Amino acid sequence: MKAVIALFGAFIAVFCAVGFVRPAALRAVFDRLSDQATWVFAVVVRLAFGTLLLMVADELRFSFAMTVLGWVAIIAAVVVLLLGPERIDRLVRWWLARPDPVLRLSMAFAAAFGIFLVYVAT
């Protein structure tokens, strides 16, 4: 299960690195997704990630922090679920409308998070 966390972190790091280098490609990915697909993806990924973290937190470095992060992800999934697809789509569109340097900065932080996940799982 630790390998799944590491793979998840690697995926985040690579996806965000591409978004950092090519913000237009990042925008294109989200332009192809429907409101409903974005919303379902946001809920399912957060719920799965949070559950997985709670299941393997004791095997990871910084186990207490990973347990807290697992609960934060599950709570975030519930919040996204309650907000609904229209509000989430508006939030995503607002974020994607930011200038390239802002997107790059957010992608850099997200990539660092992905790398951190790989670290805690290895």
Side-chain angles (χ1 to χ4, degrees):
M1 290 296 231
K2 287 171 49 173
V4 175
I5 297 289
L7 286 172
F8 190 74
F11 174 78
I12 291 171
V14 169
F15 180 82
C16 294
V18 171
F20 180 86
V21 173
R22 299 203 44 218
L26 178 71
R27 288 183 180 97
V29 167
F30 283 98
D31 283 342
R32 290 188 190 121
L33 297 174
S34 68
D35 298 359
Q36 190 74 20
T38 302
W39 177 68
V40 169
F41 180 78
V43 172
V44 170
V45 167
R46 282 166 179 75
L47 190 59
F49 178 65
T51 302
L52 184 61
L53 276 178
L54 291 177
M55 289 172 46
V56 300
D58 290 338
E59 301 172 31
L60 302 173
R61 295 178 181 163
F62 311 111
S63 61
F64 178 75
M66 295 299 103
T67 300
V68 170
L69 185 59
W71 282 113
V72 167
I74 290 171
I75 292 167
V78 171
V79 169
V80 169
L81 183 67
L82 294 173
L83 286 174
E86 298 83 21
R87 286 187 180 141
I88 294 302
D89 186 61
R90 275 189 290 176
L91 179 63
V92 169
R93 300 295 163 206
W94 172 84
W95 174 68
L96 291 172
R98 302 301 98 205
D100 284 356
V102 173
L103 286 180
R104 284 190 169 108
L105 181 63
S106 62
M107 289 293 97
F109 280 113
F113 175 70
I115 293 166
F116 175 71
L117 287 177
V118 172
Y119 171 73
V120 299
T122 56

